[in-house]
Amino acid sequence: MASSKKLISREEWEKRLNNVKIRKEDMNKLVMNFLVTEGNVEAAKKFRMESGTHHIDLATITDRMAVKKAAQCGNVKDAIEKINDLNPEILDTNPQLFFQLQQQRLIELIRNGKVEAALEFAQEELAPRAEENQSFLEELERTISLVAFEDTSNCPVGELLDISQRLKTASEVNAAVLTSQSNEKDPKLPSLLKMLIWAQNKLDKKAAYPCINDLSNARLEDPTF
Amino acid sequence: MPSATVNKPRPSELLSRLTSAEPEVKVRALREVKNQIIGNRTKKLSFLKLGAVPAVAGILADSIDDVTENNNCNNTNNFLVQSAAALGSFACGFDAGVQAVLDAGAFPNLLRLLANPNEKVVDAVARALRMIYQSKLAPKYDFLQQKNMEFLISLLNSEKETVSGLGASIISRSCETNLEQKALFDAGILRKLNSLLEGGSLSLRDASLESLATVFRNNPEVISKFAGPEIGRPLSSIIDLAKDRYPRTRLLACMCLIVIRNASPHFLQDIGIKTKLIHILLELLDDPGQVGDEAPFAFSSLIAQKEDLQKLALEANAIDKFHHHIKKGSLHPRRYEGILLALADMCSKLESCRSKFLSLQVLNLVADALTDYNAGVRAAACICLKSVTRSIKNLSAGYFMNETIVIPLVQLFLDPSTSVQVAALGATSNIVVDFTTRKSIFVQCGGMKQLVQLAKSMESSVRSNALWALKNFVFQADNRLKEGVFSELTASLLSSLIRDPEPSVQEQALALVRNLVDGCINLIEFVFAEDGLILGAIGRQLQCASKAEIGIQGMYALCNVASGNEFHREAVMQLLFTQMGDKNQSFVVKFLQSNDSQLRTATVWTIVNLTCPSSPGAPCRLEKLRNAGIVSQIKNMVNDPCVDVKLRVRTVLGQSMAFGDN
C-alpha cells in the first residue's frame, strides 16, 4: 500500500520556515504577557528595561501576587482582606469563589486542631451560604466530616487537607483578580503551543515533515514514515 | 505561619467603634465591617438592622468635609475609600441595602466624589454607584436635561474603566422611553458605547452590550440610524462578540442582537444569523452558572410568536436539549423556569414541536414540575402544558385527561400565588376540551367544584379564567355533566357573574351560558331558573355591553335559547322588546349596525331562530320585529361584506317572505 502522504525534507521545511516572518515585538509581548500573568514581577521589570516592552502597571501585579501568596500560605483571612482592598466587587459578585475561600479557612482551622473554632466558623459563616445552594451544602458536609476522622491522611476527604487544595484555591483567586483587572486570565503562550500541536496533528494526516515533539526545546525531528 | 483566628468583636461592638474619636480605631472598624459584609448577605442584613448604613454614610459625609478643609489627606482618603466600598457592598445585589444607602443620603455625596483627585477614591465611589444603578431602586436619571447628558458623556469619556462602566450602567437602568433613546443617540452616546465594545475590557464590553440593548429596545428608528449607513459594520462588532470566549459576553451579545431583530424588520433577518443565534443560546445552556440560567429566557425572546424560528430551533434539536437538561434534575429554579417557558414557546404554535415534545416523554417531567416548591416553576409548568395541550390530535385522543396531570393541576387551583392559579386555569381550559367522554375524571378529582369556587375569587383574572375553563369543560358535554355544573354554580352566582364589574368576566360568563344551553332543550330551562335570573341578567348586560365580545356571547346565548320551544322564543322576544322601551336605540339594531362581523352574525342568527317558519308564533314575532324597524335594518344588510352575515340575512328574508312580506 503506497502512502498518499507527501514527504517534506528537512531542507525544504527549513526553507519554508525562513519565509515566514515573525516580528520581534510580538515575541516580546508574548514573553511579557507570560511573566505578568504568572506574577514574575522582578523578571518583568528587568525584561522591560532590557527589551523596552511595555506592560501594565506593575503595582497591580504586586498586589495580585500578595493575594496569591497569602492564599498559598493558608492565610485566607489575609487574602480575603487584600482582595477586598484591591476590588471589593470580586468576592461580592462571585459566590462560588467566596465559598471556596471560606471553605479553605475552615480547612486551615481544622488542620490546626481548632475544632471548636472550626465548628463555630462553619455554623456562622458557611451554613447560611449552604442553605441557598445544594452544591455548597455538599462541600460543607465533606469539609466538616474531616473533624470526625482521627487519621486524616487515610480518610476519604483527606485530599482537602492536601497542599494541592490550597494551591487550587490560590490559582482560582489569581484568575479572578486577573479577570477583574481586565486582563486575560490565561497567558497566551500555552494557547500558542496548543495551536502548534493541533496544527501538527492535522498535518500528520497529509504529510511527513520535520515536526516538533519536545516543546521545551522545540527541536525539529526528521520525518519518518 | 497560617493564621486562621476567628476572634472578632460582636457586630454591635464594631458599630460603636465606628463613632470612636480615635481615627485608627474608627478606620479599622470600618474596614472590618466592610470585610465582614462582602459576599455575605446574612451579615449585610444583620448590620443593616443595627443601623450600620447611616453610620458609614456619616463617615463618608464627614470625610468629604475634611477634604474641603484640606485636612490630613492620606487618612481622609482611606476613610473615603473604605466607607464608599462598604456602602457599595451593602448595595451589591441587595435591595434593602440599596434603599438604606439612599435613605442615608449618601447618593449625592458619592456623585460629588467622582471628581476627587485620588484614583482609589474615584474607583471605590464609581463601583458603589454602579451597584446602586444595578438595582431597580436607583434614582431615575433624567437624560433629557442638558446638564445630565453632559455629565453622562463625561463619565463615558473617562479613562477610568470604573467610571465609564458606571456611565453604561446608568443607561442600562434608566433609559426607558423612545424619547430618551433618541436623546442618547443624538448626543452621540451610541458611537461611544460601540467604541467601548471594541477597545474596552471584559466588564466594560459587557456593560456596553447591555446599554446598547437598552437604547435599541423597541426603537426601529434608532437602530436604523445606528446600523444603516455603514451597512453591517457597527452590527458586526456585536455579532463578533456573540462568538467571544467568555460565556457572559456571548449571552449579552445575543440578547442585544435579539433586541435589534425584534424591533426592526430590516436587520439580522437572514437564515444564517437566525441559526447562529439558536445554536449559541442552546450551547450556553451548558454553562453551570448564571449565564446558563438566563440563556433559556433569551432563547424565548428570540423564538416567541415566530414560527420560522421555532421550526429552525426544532431542527437544531432544541427540544431534545431542553429535555436533556431537565432530566438532569436539581436545577436552579430560575433555570428550570426558563427552560419550561422556552418549551412553552417552542410548542405554542407548531404541531411538529408538540409531537416531538410528547414523543420524548417530556410531559412526565413537566407534570413533576407542577409540584415544585418554587412558584415561578409551577407557573411555567402550567404555561408549558397550555401550549402542549393545544394539540387537537392528542386532545381528541384523551391523552391529557389522566390523573398524573389532572390531579396536581387541580391542586394548583388552591395555590397561594395568583399567577400560578391563573396559569393552571389556562392549562385546564385546554385539557377539559376533551372530545372523548373522559371528562368525568376531572369531576372525580374535585376539579369542577374547585373551578366554581375560583369563579368567586377576589382576583378578576382568576374569576375570568375559571369561567373560561368551565366554558370549555361544558362544551358539547353530556347533559348529566352540564346539570352537575349548573347545580354547583347556581343561577344566582352565574347571573351575578354575568353582571360582574369586569368585562372579561362578563364575557366568559355569557359564553359559559351559551355552551350550557347548547344542545338539549331541557338545558334551556337553566336560564329560567329562580324566576329567570340568568335570562334577566343577560338582557340587562346586553343593554350596556362595553365591548363587542360581550354582545357576541350574549346573543349566541339568546340564539341557543331561541332554538328551543315557543315559550323560550317568546321569552327572548320579551327580553329584546323590554329593553327597547328606552329612549336609546334598541341594542338589537345597534348590534346589527356594529362593525364587528361576528356580532352582526350572532344577532342575525337569533332573528333566524325567532322567525323560524315551523313555529306557530313566528308570524306574530315577525310583525313585532318589522314594527320595530329590525326587518328593514336586516334588508339593508343583503350585501353585507361578511359571508356568514349575508347568508343568515337571506335566511331571515326568505323566512319573512314565507309569511307574505314583500
Side-chain angles (χ1 to χ4, degrees):
Chain A
M1 184 167 57
S3 171
S4 53
K5 283 200 219 171
K6 184 174 173 177
L7 171 62
I8 306 175
S9 69
R10 177 187 280 265
E11 207 188 314
E12 168 80 22
W13 189 252
E14 284 179 345
K15 201 161 73 173
R16 289 191 192 199
L17 281 178
N18 279 336
N19 285 338
V20 180
K21 299 296 166 214
I22 307 282
R23 302 191 318 158
K24 181 97 191 287
E25 301 87 77
D26 290 341
M27 289 192 283
N28 283 345
K29 280 191 193 156
L30 279 171
V31 170
M32 183 57 89
N33 167 269
F34 186 72
L35 292 173
V36 164
T37 42
E38 291 304 305
N40 303 60
V41 178
E42 295 307 314
K45 275 187 197 157
K46 203 90 200 298
F47 189 61
R48 177 179 63 175
M49 278 192 330
E50 292 180 358
S51 71
T53 314
H54 291 300
H55 56 64
I56 60 165
D57 181 20
L58 282 179
T60 56
I61 310 182
T62 321
D63 293 334
R64 174 166 53 90
M65 284 306 111
V67 171
K68 187 172 178 186
K69 185 135 178 263
Q72 278 170 338
C73 298
N75 283 335
V76 185
K77 180 163 194 273
D78 194 30
I80 291 179
E81 289 181 3
K82 288 190 155 71
I83 299 181
N84 288 341
D85 281 334
L86 253 184
N87 185 343
E89 257 185 83
I90 298 178
L91 291 181
D92 239 342
T93 55
N94 198 333
Q96 181 69 37
L97 180 61
F98 184 63
F99 183 82
Q100 212 170 328
L101 279 167
Q102 295 287 65
Q103 182 190 23
Q104 192 63 42
R105 253 174 109 170
L106 180 60
I107 293 172
E108 299 304 328
L109 281 170
I110 297 176
R111 191 203 304 281
N112 292 328
K114 299 192 171 137
V115 174
E116 205 179 297
L119 291 174
E120 200 186 302
F121 180 74
Q123 172 82 345
E124 211 187 299
E125 301 286 335
L126 285 162
R129 306 282 76 68
E131 265 170 35
E132 303 157 2
N133 186 311
Q134 181 70 14
S135 62
F136 288 176
L137 181 61
E138 284 166 14
E139 275 305 303
L140 178 57
E141 286 173 352
R142 277 183 76 215
T143 317
I144 280 292
S145 69
L146 275 173
V147 174
F149 291 97
E150 285 275 311
D151 181 11
T152 49
S153 53
N154 268 328
C155 77
V157 285
E159 72 214 8
L160 288 175
L161 284 174
D162 220 37
I163 284 299
S164 59
Q165 179 70 18
R166 258 197 215 162
L167 295 180
K168 191 168 89 162
T169 306
S171 104
E172 305 258 336
V173 164
N174 184 46
V177 177
L178 257 178
T179 315
S180 82
Q181 288 174 333
S182 74
N183 290 316
E184 300 285 334
K185 58 181 176 182
D186 302 318
K188 310 257 195 289
L189 193 53
S191 308
L192 212 62
L193 294 176
K194 289 182 189 180
M195 188 69 151
L196 168 67
I197 296 174
W198 179 86
Q200 288 194 150
N201 285 341
K202 280 278 178 191
L203 191 56
D204 279 344
K205 299 186 182 133
K206 297 186 184 173
Y209 59 96
C211 61
I212 297 175
N213 285 328
D214 183 352
L215 289 175
S216 63
N217 58 38
R219 203 177 42 207
L220 287 178
E221 293 181 19
D222 284 323
T224 50
F225 271 106
Chain B
M1 174 168 60
S3 80
T5 54
V6 209
N7 287 334
K8 49 182 194 275
R10 311 254 90 235
S12 44
E13 167 72 30
L14 263 183
L15 274 191
S16 65
R17 291 190 199 170
L18 283 179
T19 50
S20 160
E22 291 176 59
E24 263 306 304
V25 174
K26 197 155 133 182
V27 81
R28 223 179 302 152
L30 186 53
R31 194 164 175 264
E32 182 60 30
V33 169
K34 177 196 79 172
N35 282 322
Q36 282 198 32
I37 64 174
I38 288 180
N40 193 325
R41 195 192 175 83
T42 325
K43 285 275 172 68
K44 286 185 201 192
L45 189 58
S46 51
F47 271 108
L48 195 90
K49 288 189 182 156
L50 288 171
V53 176
V56 175
I59 297 181
L60 185 81
D62 291 340
S63 308
I64 292 184
D65 292 337
D66 285 346
V67 166
T68 45
E69 285 168 37
N70 276 316
N71 286 343
N72 183 343
C73 215
N74 250 346
N75 229 5
T76 317
N77 283 340
N78 211 358
F79 274 114
L80 287 173
V81 169
Q82 298 298 333
S83 52
L87 291 173
S89 180
F90 272 114
C92 181
F94 185 48
D95 271 352
V98 174
Q99 192 61 57
V101 171
L102 293 173
D103 289 343
F107 188 75
N109 285 337
L110 288 169
L111 278 178
R112 282 165 62 189
L113 282 168
L114 282 173
N116 189 284
N118 182 291
E119 279 203 0
K120 285 209 157 114
V121 171
V122 173
D123 274 340
V125 163
R127 283 195 190 114
L129 285 166
R130 190 151 57 82
M131 291 302 114
I132 295 175
Y133 272 105
Q134 281 178 0
S135 159
K136 291 193 228 355
L137 298 172
K140 165 87 183 156
Y141 195 84
D142 188 0
F143 299 104
L144 300 175
Q145 280 207 38
Q146 180 67 6
K147 271 177 71 178
N148 289 350
M149 190 62 90
E150 285 169 4
F151 184 64
L152 181 64
I153 295 176
S154 74
L155 290 179
L156 288 173
N157 282 332
S158 168
E159 301 245 315
K160 299 195 110 283
E161 288 209 350
T162 45
V163 177
S164 45
L166 169 62
S169 302
I170 295 178
I171 297 173
S172 299
R173 170 56 48 198
S174 275
C175 175
E176 286 165 337
T177 65
N178 282 13
L179 208 60
E180 288 170 329
Q181 290 167 330
K182 182 154 190 307
L184 286 166
F185 174 79
D186 289 338
I189 299 270
L190 292 195
R191 297 255 163 263
K192 182 68 205 173
L193 287 173
N194 195 44
S195 70
L196 290 178
L197 267 191
E198 290 169 355
S201 72
L202 173 63
S203 68
L204 198 51
R205 278 195 330 240
D206 286 354
S208 305
L209 281 170
E210 276 185 286
S211 304
L212 283 168
T214 312
V215 181
F216 289 148
R217 187 162 286 119
N218 297 326
N219 198 325
E221 195 194 323
V222 166
I223 294 176
S224 60
K225 278 195 192 164
F226 176 75
E230 301 133 67
I231 309 245
R233 260 224 67 237
L235 287 190
S236 65
S237 39
I238 307 177
I239 295 175
D240 284 341
L241 286 174
K243 298 177 241 155
D244 192 82
R245 56 186 301 212
Y246 289 102
R248 186 154 190 268
T249 309
R250 293 202 293 276
L251 178 67
L252 290 170
C254 286
M255 286 165 72
C256 191
L257 292 170
I258 293 171
V259 163
I260 294 174
R261 269 203 95 241
N262 287 349
S264 175
H266 302 301
F267 296 98
L268 306 173
Q269 300 298 329
D270 64 277
I271 192 166
I273 194 78
K274 287 197 265 194
T275 318
K276 220 183 288 195
L277 283 169
I278 291 174
H279 277 110
I280 296 173
L281 288 170
L282 286 176
E283 178 252 331
L284 280 172
L285 277 177
D286 293 329
D287 179 273
Q290 224 192 345
V291 172
D293 295 346
E294 295 300 319
F297 290 94
F299 183 86
S300 281
S301 67
L302 176 62
I303 67 160
Q305 311 299 329
K306 300 194 165 74
E307 287 189 27
D308 56 331
L309 281 151
Q310 289 160 16
K311 222 175 282 184
L312 280 175
L314 180 64
E315 285 160 22
N317 294 325
I319 299 187
D320 304 68
K321 298 218 166 82
F322 289 133
H323 179 217
H324 168 76
H325 280 276
I326 306 188
K327 245 189 342 191
K328 283 201 285 198
S330 39
L331 292 173
H332 190 276
R334 176 90 179 145
R335 186 185 291 242
Y336 204 176
E337 183 185 344
I339 293 182
L340 288 168
L341 289 175
L343 283 167
D345 281 316
M346 280 296 289
C347 299
S348 58
K349 290 175 183 280
L350 296 176
E351 186 62 27
S352 50
C353 290
R354 295 177 203 139
S355 298
K356 187 75 198 236
F357 178 97
L358 292 169
S359 72
L360 287 174
Q361 313 268 355
V362 193
L363 193 63
N364 295 336
L365 294 171
V366 175
D368 284 341
L370 290 172
T371 48
D372 194 88
Y373 70 92
N374 181 291
V377 172
R378 297 196 296 277
C382 294
I383 295 171
C384 187
L385 271 178
K386 186 168 81 165
S387 279
V388 177
T389 53
R390 286 177 182 163
S391 168
I392 296 188
K393 184 171 79 171
N394 289 293
L395 262 180
S396 317
Y399 192 83
F400 303 109
M401 190 63 97
N402 60 54
E403 291 175 351
T404 356
I405 297 184
V406 173
I407 292 185
L409 200 55
V410 169
Q411 272 167 359
L412 291 182
F413 292 170
L414 293 175
D415 197 277
S417 155
T418 309
S419 53
V420 175
Q421 282 181 318
V422 170
L425 288 169
T428 308
S429 297
N430 283 352
I431 293 177
V432 296
V433 185
D434 188 323
F435 297 112
T436 65
T437 50
R438 292 167 61 180
K439 295 193 185 196
S440 49
I441 297 182
F442 190 69
V443 176
Q444 275 159 30
C445 66
M448 188 268 283
K449 291 202 180 183
Q450 288 288 15
L451 286 180
V452 173
Q453 283 311 304
L454 288 180
K456 303 182 208 164
S457 162
M458 301 274 283
E459 295 283 337
S460 64
S461 58
V462 174
R463 290 199 300 281
S464 68
N465 279 289
L467 286 170
W468 190 316
L470 281 167
K471 165 188 83 176
N472 284 4
F473 183 60
V474 303
F475 176 69
Q476 295 188 355
D478 62 65
N479 285 14
R480 206 159 50 91
L481 208 80
K482 288 187 180 181
E483 277 161 25
V485 173
F486 186 72
S487 67
E488 189 68 31
L489 265 172
T490 75
S492 60
L493 174 60
L494 194 42
S495 60
S496 73
L497 286 168
I498 293 172
R499 317 283 334 277
D500 190 277
E502 284 298 315
S504 55
V505 179
Q506 297 162 12
E507 182 190 342
Q508 295 306 322
L510 288 166
L512 173 55
V513 174
R514 169 186 176 183
N515 281 4
L516 271 173
V517 303
D518 172 43
C520 172
I521 244 185
N522 297 340
L523 301 167
I524 298 181
E525 292 305 316
F526 290 157
V527 303
F528 293 101
E530 295 184 43
D531 261 344
L533 259 183
I534 293 181
L535 196 60
I538 296 178
R540 281 197 294 286
Q541 205 52 52
L542 285 177
Q543 182 69 0
C544 58
S546 60
K547 55 178 184 168
E549 288 81 353
I550 294 173
I552 294 169
Q553 299 306 329
M555 285 315 290
Y556 273 123
L558 289 182
C559 180
N560 288 349
V561 173
S563 70
N565 59 33
E566 279 301 288
F567 174 71
H568 301 149
R569 282 187 271 276
E570 282 305 313
V572 173
M573 278 299 282
Q574 194 171 44
L575 196 90
L576 299 182
F577 277 80
T578 315
Q579 311 303 330
M580 276 164 65
D582 293 53
K583 318 168 208 109
N584 299 332
Q585 202 182 32
S586 147
F587 67 81
V588 177
V589 176
K590 206 166 60 163
F591 286 175
L592 287 170
Q593 293 173 338
S594 161
N595 287 332
D596 190 309
S597 61
Q598 281 193 63
L599 184 51
R600 298 197 300 278
T601 313
T603 314
V604 180
W605 256 124
T606 312
I607 311 286
V608 166
N609 284 0
L610 287 172
T611 57
C612 177
S614 58
S615 37
C620 205
R621 291 191 286 272
L622 194 53
E623 190 63 33
K624 278 203 192 131
L625 290 168
R626 202 176 288 134
N627 290 341
I630 291 178
V631 177
S632 49
Q633 170 63 43
I634 290 184
K635 277 192 186 152
N636 289 339
M637 295 162 72
V638 165
N639 290 314
D640 192 288
C642 172
V643 174
D644 278 333
V645 178
K646 212 157 54 170
L647 288 174
R648 305 307 147 229
V649 160
R650 294 205 182 159
T651 311
V652 170
L653 294 177
Q655 284 171 181
S656 75
M657 285 206 287
F659 297 116
D661 183 32
N662 58 335

